[in-house]
Amino acid sequence: MTAGGRIDFDTVLLLVGRLNYAWTNTESLLIHLIAGLSGTDKEIATVTFLTLNTTRARIDLVERLSKLDRVDAAERKAILGLTGRIQRHSALRNRYNHCIYAFDPDGQHPRTIQMRIADRKDRLLMGQDTPLDEAALDEIRAALDALAEINRDIWQFISAYKYPA
């Protein structure tokens, strides 16, 4: 925040950059879950991970592997809990990665405009406009804290279930 209650856009950029880092770092831990669940090594799990080009596909794979009969119920429940927690933050991550950042004519009052079209029966919805205010920054900060906690919890799971680390 700057004088007059305006958002400092450099702060926004730093937080979005940190969000991207935290997201990709946490998402990469799915490699270990793929390796452990499929009974393979990290190299093969990495190829599998990189072959799937969306977070949704990677999480789907982990969840489906966890639902195999050979996976213990407690292990499955823990994995589904972890992937569910990751998914809860995907909308926020997508909001800031798939948008246009816009300003008023004076270069102030930053906002995001979503680059998404919603095709309804008789109309199109596009360009949802959301102000970048202190509440938006707090939401990003909360997601960063949550992703750090998820990251720690995944590492604890990897250790507890002796998945390839």
Side-chain angles (χ1 to χ4, degrees):
M1 220 29 134
T2 61
R6 293 186 180 151
I7 294 295
D8 175 37
F9 193 63
D10 285 343
T11 300
V12 173
L13 293 177
L14 287 170
L15 284 172
V16 170
R18 286 184 57 213
L19 181 63
N20 281 323
Y21 165 76
W23 183 267
T24 56
N25 188 46
T26 302
E27 185 177 357
S28 73
L29 296 179
L30 296 175
I31 292 168
H32 303 280
L33 300 182
I34 293 167
L37 288 165
S38 64
T40 191
D41 59 37
K42 280 188 351 188
E43 183 178 37
I44 291 171
T46 300
V47 170
T48 304
F49 175 90
L50 295 174
T51 300
L52 302 169
N53 61 2
T54 66
T55 300
R56 180 73 250 159
R58 293 166 177 158
I59 289 175
D60 282 350
L61 175 62
V62 168
E63 289 181 342
R64 288 172 181 167
L65 290 171
S66 78
K67 292 175 184 177
L68 295 172
D69 287 339
R70 67 183 184 164
V71 177
D72 176 71
E75 185 177 350
R76 176 182 308 113
K77 182 178 179 182
I79 287 172
L80 295 175
L82 291 166
T83 57
R85 288 168 58 199
I86 293 170
Q87 286 177 301
R88 283 193 285 281
H89 299 286
S90 66
L92 180 76
R93 181 240 180 208
N94 290 338
R95 181 185 327 154
Y96 291 105
N97 281 285
H98 303 293
C99 72
I100 298 168
Y101 291 91
F103 306 86
D104 67 15
D106 296 323
Q108 300 298 317
H109 307 289
R111 64 191 189 283
T112 62
I113 301 173
Q114 294 307 300
M115 296 190 304
R116 167 180 276 169
I117 295 176
D119 197 350
R120 302 295 187 236
K121 287 184 181 182
D122 62 350
R123 63 190 170 109
L124 293 177
L125 298 175
M126 58 186 155
Q128 179 185 356
D129 192 299
T130 307
L132 282 169
D133 54 15
E134 196 60 42
L137 298 184
D138 288 344
E139 188 177 30
I140 296 170
R141 289 181 187 110
L144 287 168
D145 290 343
L147 287 169
E149 184 178 336
I150 293 166
N151 192 301
R152 286 189 297 272
D153 291 347
I154 292 172
W155 276 117
Q156 288 175 351
F157 176 90
I158 290 166
S159 176
Y161 284 90
K162 300 187 182 353
Y163 282 22

